[in-house]
Amino acid sequence: MAGKGLITKKIGCTSIWDGDKALMVTVLQNHDNVVLDQKTEADNGYTAVKVGYQKPKSEKKFVKKPVRGYYEKRNLPVHLHMMEFRDLEAEVGSSLSVTQFEEGEKITVRGRSRGLGFAGVVKRHGFRGGEAAHGAMMHRRSGSLGCRLTPGHVIKGKKMAGRMGFDNITVKNLKIIRIDEEQGLLLVAGAIPGPKGGLVVVTGK
């Protein structure tokens, strides 16, 4: 079974009419997916293509010198992101488009959730918090974290305050409702992780 893959940008959400029903869809836009390298069964032991995405405003400012050398060796324009897609075949220098997918097809998407910064245990883990009385002083604190005796340190995996969001999330079996080949758009039913403008990787089911 031939693989499918595309790096897209999340435009946002909207609703479209499907008969007499309004469907909520997430709009993904594809542009500038350039094939950088082709892996073959004979040379590499598997079949895949390496894809570059998104040209930088300034190559020297945003792309490191060894990475720029990778592109210069292949006489291809420099891109900010590189990713490999298994079981996909395409000529080096060609572009991938939304035409590899079909309307009604089920796909898998991967993205990074919105970063919410440093969060306490009430927001991050749903702790109920302490008493709300004035003298309690434990309104939204986490409480005791460990013991001085055994094991003598905070147990690994303890639910504590910390960074919330910005996690890699995979969502499977999302349905493509509509494809706009001219503008390179995929309209996918349901919600997709990440903020507007975030990168979303689309692969076959």
Side-chain angles (χ1 to χ4, degrees):
M1 181 178 178
K4 299 180 181 181
L6 208 60
I7 307 174
T8 63
K9 181 173 73 172
K10 181 178 176 180
I11 302 300
C13 297
T14 185
S15 59
I16 59 174
W17 287 98
D18 182 19
D20 57 347
K21 296 181 180 179
L23 298 178
M24 195 287 285
V25 296
T26 303
V27 183
L28 303 177
Q29 185 177 36
N30 160 59
H31 62 85
D32 203 31
N33 271 250
V34 177
V35 178
L36 308 175
D37 198 5
Q38 173 72 54
K39 307 287 185 179
T40 62
E41 192 74 35
D43 296 334
N44 308 101
Y46 66 99
T47 303
V49 294
K50 186 174 286 187
V51 177
Y53 176 78
Q54 193 175 0
K55 295 178 182 177
K57 295 180 180 178
S58 171
E59 294 181 8
K60 293 184 178 180
K61 184 177 181 180
F62 295 104
V63 183
K64 294 181 179 180
K65 192 173 182 179
V67 180
R68 296 203 304 269
Y70 176 91
Y71 287 97
E72 291 170 0
K73 183 179 179 180
R74 291 160 175 76
N75 295 318
L76 293 170
V78 178
H79 291 76
L80 283 175
H81 308 280
M82 277 193 290
M83 185 168 292
E84 194 170 278
F85 293 100
R86 291 289 186 107
D87 302 321
L88 188 60
E89 296 182 2
E91 294 183 3
V92 175
S94 63
S95 298
L96 301 180
S97 69
V98 297
T99 54
Q100 60 184 296
F101 298 99
E102 300 177 358
E103 292 184 0
E105 182 179 352
K106 295 291 184 67
I107 58 172
T108 298
V109 300
R110 299 198 309 272
R112 274 193 166 176
S113 61
R114 292 188 301 115
L116 302 175
F118 191 92
V121 291
V122 173
K123 182 176 181 180
R124 192 181 187 205
H125 299 295
F127 283 21
R128 69 179 181 85
E131 296 181 7
H134 291 291
M137 306 299 290
M138 289 290 292
H139 307 307
R140 297 176 69 88
R141 294 187 185 180
S142 58
S144 178
L145 298 178
C147 178
R148 291 187 302 169
L149 300 177
T150 304
H153 60 82
V154 177
I155 299 173
K156 188 175 182 179
K158 185 77 171 178
K159 293 182 178 180
M160 300 170 64
R163 179 184 60 81
M164 184 177 180
F166 205 58
D167 297 317
N168 291 318
I169 295 178
T170 300
V171 183
K172 298 182 178 181
N173 294 324
L174 294 181
K175 185 178 180 181
I176 297 177
I177 302 300
R178 193 171 299 169
I179 296 176
D180 189 332
E181 183 180 348
E182 185 177 345
Q183 299 186 55
L185 300 179
L186 290 174
L187 276 64
V188 182
I192 289 175
K196 292 181 181 179
L199 261 61
V200 176
V201 179
V202 181
T203 56
K205 180 181 177 182

